Amino acid sequence: MSTDNDSGEIADCQEHSLLEVAQNPDLLRERVEGVTAPSIDKTREETGDKRAHTVGENLRRAFGFRRWTNVLEDLEQADHPAMEDSSHPIVEHPRAFLDHLIHVDDMDKLRLEHGELEGLPKERREMFQWLRQNPEIVQELRNGGTDWLAYGPKGSGKSTMSAAKVIRQLEVNLDAVVWRGTSARTEWLPLRAWTRLCLPAGLEVEAYLDPPADDMEPVEIDLERMCHEVVRYDSIRDLNHNVLEEGHFHVVYPDPRFRGATKAYQEAEEIGEIPHHSAWDVQVDEELERTDITPSKMWWFAWAIDKIDQGPPIWLSWFCDEIGNVMPEHADNDYHQLYDRISAFRDKYVDARRNKFSTFGIGHEPGDLHNMMRKKMRWQITLAGIDNPTGKTVGMGDAPMGRNYTQGMQLGQALSWNSQNFAEFSWSDIPSQFKVPGQLHVRFPEVLEVVRSC
Amino acid sequence: MISQQAPLKGLQTALERADAQTVDTERLREQVHTALEEAGVETPTRPASAKLTHDQTDLLVDLLEGFSSRREILEWEQELVIQTVGQLEDSWFTRVASDAPTVSALLGEPWGEVDGIRPDLALEVRRGIVAKDLLPAFHAAHEVARWSAVERVDHLADDPEQEGMEPIEPRDQEYPLMRPAFGEIAGQQEAALGQLLEGFESPEQLLAWALQVVGASYAEIDRETITQPYFELPIRRRLVTEEPTEEDMFIRESWAAEYLLPAFNRAADALADRTTEVTAGQQYRGESGDGSIT
């Protein structure tokens, strides 16, 4: 008992197999709600104590990941598949992977140069110490926010990879991580015990877990019990300025009232205004019909634009699951001015890097993402199960790969590349106690009522 | 020398912080581990000693925290046997797991003939055990282990042949004191104790277990003692039953406290200066060949 304190609380739910859990509503609810993050209340983010460990480190330990610096040291020792006396491609070609993972700004570059690492969280400090011994890598790290588009077919490990990326983001960077919450997809559930769930203020919410067994009724879930914290936001700016916190993992559900959304366009520089019509607006406005209600996913454009334009100046990483649904290739203006919205985001995205805003998109294939944004993504991650390109690509010039590498890959492996370099990487599975059988549905019942009355 | 002084300092300040009514034990644990890791040197040159200190820290904090059952106390004692390298008195283990006031203090609730215990008094008793028994025993363990702890300085060498040598991370080590023999005996003892508390399905199983205990105690358990549970029918009935009553559990636990743990303690003592140190436990080595980022 003394050696295993970190996982002690979690071990309790190991008494039953996942199969048993999936067939019993009480066990299922306990599994979803019962996982707690050991010692999360002792973290730097929760206590403000600079000596304390971070949420990222807490997560990394719970998921059994090695310290990132240890991974880097191992990668340094590992062989390059094609070059003698070289390290693993991740370290050998920092532009392919490390560049988009490690977020640094001017201040960090100065810190690295002068070895002044005081005040940094331990894991970031250790990584900086490693970087100081590898100045050639520091040179390759671009300042500011980064982005990638990760794609692969269903079951290619996108969610698991994203969870690993979220954990590493929180461990080595200072970012507030935001996961796009949707009513039907909840790929973030393994991270639930560390999640700050951000919901629009003043709206009742209900959550049901749809069990994998067909003959079972949906199980009602208490989100307060399930998540580390449930927080409410009044408007987009309130969310960005007062609710999101650096070092934490957030799952954000869009506001169906679109509070502060139109204002985001109005006040942002160099883009035109695009309106939003919530169900409540349509209910009272006789000229509008039910089909004019703006779909909630349009909220994300306003949110991202406002963060980039109006701050706050915190690091922020947006993990956009199913990015092809938000910014589809076939977008046109007949459908709620979707084309204009993507275009506005694209224009604003020029400032994203400088304003420490990163976009990490997850989809099925590169063609799903609108080409305007595809061109803005400086990195792509091709997962096992889909061929990596070898020639001309949209927005990335010629791919640097001379042949098909992902073809020979197995589940849990992928290729990270930009127009110059590529590196393969892999990740381990999510510990089974964090997995949840079935899908969680999060709904705002009032919205449905109002829509019906329109 | 710096490396040996500094951890103690860190431990002291951490312990001072613990001087409150309620102990934030997880925080204390974290602080001591961090203090140990950050003290003076980047990587310890005698990782086996550092590993011992880390493991002892956990046991120390566990005690301050208190326990939720007598079984937990016994399991903790079994680990303590290993991490003190058998340097406590045999009778200490029996007393701590059987003496009613002590057990009540460890559990923080009434036990045996003790009707009630004030939480602050319970904490005071636990702190007293740390100060009076645990720290001297840990001290003695370090005395036994210190000069046989291998000095590992390869990672500091400038020799190009040695380049790429990695320092030994004490906390990644699998075996107590980095000695496989201790890992082996710890595992055997844990299993033997667990089986006794769980009980046996048949007398045959009980006999087989007796042989296991002989091994797990390096034959430090008396010949008569180990056959006693079989020959003395009242005890045997307590051990060989599928649905044990509270009384059965009490007898099993008491037997463990009276005979098993003292024998385990003698075994650890006997083993102390006959073992070899190795590095082990870093199973991930080489895994990054395929670029694992986890």
Side-chain angles (χ1 to χ4, degrees):
Chain A
M1 48 161 254
S2 70
T3 48
D4 217 338
N5 295 289
D6 280 351
S7 54
E9 295 169 56
I10 298 159
D12 295 345
C13 32
Q14 291 296 298
E15 293 158 26
H16 304 277
S17 76
L18 210 51
L19 183 65
E20 284 175 271
V21 172
Q23 291 167 331
N24 179 327
D26 293 328
L27 287 179
L28 203 49
R29 179 178 297 112
E30 191 45 38
R31 170 168 279 251
V32 175
E33 297 177 356
V35 172
T36 52
S39 320
I40 191 172
D41 50 331
K42 312 253 164 47
T43 53
R44 180 184 171 110
E45 287 80 2
E46 294 289 293
T47 60
D49 183 346
K50 291 225 155 120
R51 293 163 307 170
H53 72 301
T54 60
V55 170
E57 185 183 349
N58 188 293
L59 252 169
R60 163 186 64 83
R61 285 201 188 158
F63 274 68
F65 288 10
R66 291 170 285 158
R67 171 176 289 173
W68 179 242
T69 317
N70 291 346
V71 173
L72 285 173
E73 281 163 2
D74 280 2
L75 291 170
E76 222 178 335
Q77 300 297 321
D79 294 328
H80 192 288
M83 292 154 65
E84 260 183 60
D85 296 329
S86 299
S87 299
H88 188 277
I90 291 180
V91 170
E92 197 63 42
H93 314 298
R95 284 182 188 182
F97 185 92
L98 294 181
D99 195 4
H100 68 62
L101 174 73
I102 302 174
H103 286 168
V104 288
D105 60 12
D106 289 331
M107 215 26 227
D108 292 320
K109 288 272 175 85
L110 284 172
R111 280 170 177 278
L112 281 164
E113 203 176 308
H114 296 279
E116 179 60 56
L117 306 179
E118 201 145 312
L120 292 177
K122 187 159 155 232
E123 306 290 80
R124 188 164 172 86
R125 196 168 65 225
E126 301 247 336
M127 180 182 69
F128 274 17
Q129 261 153 9
W130 182 85
L131 283 173
R132 267 172 64 73
Q133 293 157 13
N134 298 274
E136 72 286 353
I137 293 183
V138 177
Q139 270 180 10
E140 302 284 348
L141 299 179
R142 275 165 271 197
N143 288 357
T146 57
D147 35 59
W148 43 251
L149 168 67
Y151 59 91
K154 269 192 194 354
S156 59
K158 292 192 292 289
S159 312
T160 314
M161 185 208 73
S162 305
K165 292 286 212 170
V166 166
I167 294 170
R168 287 300 185 203
Q169 273 298 329
L170 292 170
E171 181 194 355
V172 305
N173 293 329
L174 307 170
D175 290 51
V177 173
V178 168
W179 185 280
R180 176 192 163 219
T182 64
S183 57
R185 279 180 66 86
T186 38
E187 304 297 328
W188 52 273
L189 277 184
L191 303 168
R192 58 197 177 280
W194 291 264
T195 298
R196 296 186 77 228
L197 184 66
C198 305
L199 301 174
L203 280 174
E204 238 181 82
V205 63
E206 51 178 41
Y208 286 95
L209 188 81
D210 217 350
D214 294 339
D215 53 351
M216 242 169 92
E217 291 292 306
V219 181
E220 189 169 0
I221 298 295
D222 181 347
L223 292 173
E224 297 268 359
R225 267 200 78 203
M226 180 184 88
C227 297
H228 169 54
E229 198 181 356
V230 176
V231 280
R232 300 280 184 163
Y233 64 91
D234 298 333
S235 67
I236 284 175
R237 206 153 300 167
D238 179 47
L239 172 67
N240 288 338
H241 283 260
N242 307 324
V243 176
L244 298 180
E245 286 173 11
E246 282 182 315
H248 267 294
F249 175 67
H250 307 81
V251 174
V252 175
Y253 277 81
D255 179 10
R257 288 182 181 269
F258 293 99
R259 284 164 286 190
T262 310
K263 181 170 140 190
Y265 287 88
Q266 283 164 349
E267 296 184 5
E269 285 172 20
E270 293 177 15
I271 55 170
E273 184 184 328
I274 303 175
H276 302 79
H277 305 296
S278 74
W280 290 264
D281 300 336
V282 174
Q283 193 181 29
V284 294
D285 192 331
E286 302 221 326
E287 288 183 13
L288 294 173
E289 290 175 33
R290 195 190 280 192
T291 50
D292 292 319
I293 300 173
T294 313
S296 61
K297 64 188 175 195
M298 307 293 176
W299 179 90
W300 288 102
F301 297 104
W303 167 75
I305 287 168
D306 209 51
K307 161 65 184 108
I308 296 169
D309 205 83
Q310 303 285 337
I314 58 169
W315 289 97
L316 197 149
S317 282
W318 179 29
F319 280 77
C320 184
D321 193 14
E322 296 290 340
I323 195 168
N325 286 355
V326 184
M327 308 168 204
E329 173 66 14
H330 54 77
D332 61 39
N333 272 333
D334 291 344
Y335 183 70
H336 304 280
Q337 282 182 267
L338 182 52
Y339 183 91
D340 289 344
R341 289 178 208 272
I342 300 173
S343 174
F345 179 50
R346 191 266 318 261
D347 291 346
K348 208 68 240 173
Y349 202 72
V350 178
D351 302 324
R353 195 178 56 79
R354 197 159 37 83
N355 290 321
K356 302 180 178 179
F357 185 91
S358 303
T359 306
F360 302 123
I362 304 149
H364 296 274
E365 50 180 291
D368 290 348
L369 176 63
H370 197 282
N371 63 70
M372 279 195 289
M373 273 318 288
R374 212 181 323 148
K375 286 176 189 157
K376 291 285 166 195
M377 296 286 184
R378 287 167 291 162
W379 288 271
Q380 292 198 4
I381 293 172
T382 311
L383 282 95
I386 188 165
D387 295 345
N388 63 258
T390 49
K392 191 115 193 70
T393 63
V394 176
M396 308 261 300
D398 285 332
M401 288 78 76
R403 64 179 176 86
N404 190 347
Y405 289 94
T406 49
Q407 199 172 39
M409 285 185 176
Q410 295 177 345
L411 184 63
Q413 294 181 296
L415 196 70
S416 175
W417 54 282
N418 71 352
S419 52
Q420 294 148 320
N421 293 120
F422 61 93
E424 83 260 20
F425 67 100
S426 66
W427 56 92
S428 44
D429 197 7
I430 290 168
S432 65
Q433 70 263 30
F434 300 128
K435 291 185 181 173
V436 173
Q439 280 289 338
L440 184 78
H441 296 274
V442 178
R443 290 193 204 93
F444 304 104
E446 194 187 337
V447 181
L448 295 176
E449 273 172 43
V450 177
V451 169
R452 259 184 234 118
S453 72
C454 285
Chain B
M1 284 314 287
I2 297 168
S3 62
Q4 290 180 0
Q5 295 295 331
L8 279 177
K9 235 176 160 181
L11 194 61
Q12 267 167 12
T13 40
L15 283 172
E16 276 161 22
R17 272 190 209 116
D19 193 26
Q21 275 302 324
T22 53
V23 207
D24 185 349
T25 41
E26 277 313 305
R27 188 178 157 90
L28 176 67
R29 193 191 300 277
E30 191 88 12
Q31 275 169 351
V32 178
H33 283 305
T34 314
L36 287 171
E37 277 176 337
E38 289 180 352
V41 281
E42 258 179 54
T43 48
T45 47
R46 290 183 193 273
S49 287
K51 162 82 175 152
L52 181 62
T53 318
H54 277 295
D55 289 341
Q56 290 178 341
T57 301
D58 281 325
L59 291 171
L60 186 152
V61 178
D62 286 342
L63 174 58
L64 290 175
E65 203 166 40
F67 302 92
S68 59
S69 64
R70 193 180 182 211
R71 179 180 182 143
E72 262 190 23
I73 299 177
L74 291 168
E75 288 167 345
W76 173 81
E77 284 192 342
Q78 187 265 311
E79 285 185 50
L80 192 65
V81 160
I82 302 293
Q83 303 298 352
T84 53
V85 208
Q87 298 305 299
L88 277 162
E89 295 277 330
D90 292 351
S91 59
W92 186 90
F93 294 92
T94 314
R95 198 177 67 242
V96 168
S98 310
D99 173 55
T102 312
V103 176
S104 308
L106 260 52
L107 298 177
E109 60 183 36
W111 189 85
E113 62 262 33
V114 175
D115 294 334
I117 183 151
R118 291 205 325 265
D120 56 332
L121 188 62
L123 179 59
E124 188 58 48
V125 172
R126 294 201 297 271
R127 284 202 296 232
I129 299 177
V130 168
K132 203 168 124 308
D133 302 332
L134 234 51
L135 287 175
F138 287 159
H139 183 274
H142 273 282
E143 276 183 338
V144 172
R146 58 184 169 176
W147 301 130
S148 57
V150 180
E151 190 169 60
R152 294 168 191 270
V153 291
D154 290 347
H155 61 283
L156 301 172
D158 272 338
D159 182 0
E161 285 282 295
Q162 299 279 4
E163 213 173 284
M165 284 299 294
E166 289 191 26
I168 313 294
E169 270 288 329
R171 291 182 82 186
D172 289 342
Q173 297 302 316
E174 183 173 349
Y175 304 119
L177 291 110
M178 292 174 63
R179 301 185 192 185
F182 269 98
E184 197 177 312
I185 199 176
Q188 288 175 352
Q189 292 186 349
E190 194 188 334
L193 174 64
Q195 284 176 30
L196 170 65
L197 298 178
E198 288 300 322
F200 305 93
E201 282 172 20
S202 62
E204 289 79 5
Q205 275 199 348
L206 173 60
L207 287 171
W209 169 82
L211 180 57
Q212 263 180 276
V213 173
V214 171
S217 66
Y218 278 98
E220 289 290 337
I221 194 156
D222 292 340
R223 261 170 232 171
E224 293 73 30
T225 309
I226 193 56
T227 46
Q228 176 206 26
Y230 178 77
F231 286 122
E232 286 189 22
L233 283 180
I235 302 185
R236 194 205 292 186
R237 268 185 231 114
R238 304 274 187 196
L239 299 185
V240 186
T241 168
E242 279 193 8
E243 278 167 23
T245 60
E246 251 177 60
E247 216 170 283
D248 293 337
M249 284 316 295
F250 178 82
I251 299 289
R252 289 177 191 178
E253 289 163 358
S254 301
W255 203 90
E258 181 71 31
Y259 300 108
L260 210 52
L261 284 159
F264 286 173
N265 192 48
R266 289 193 291 277
D269 187 18
L271 193 59
D273 30 48
R274 294 192 172 83
T275 49
T276 320
E277 180 186 316
V278 299
T279 58
Q282 292 166 311
Q283 300 106 328
Y284 57 75
R285 200 157 290 266
E287 258 180 31
S288 284
D290 64 347
S292 172
I293 60 159
T294 53

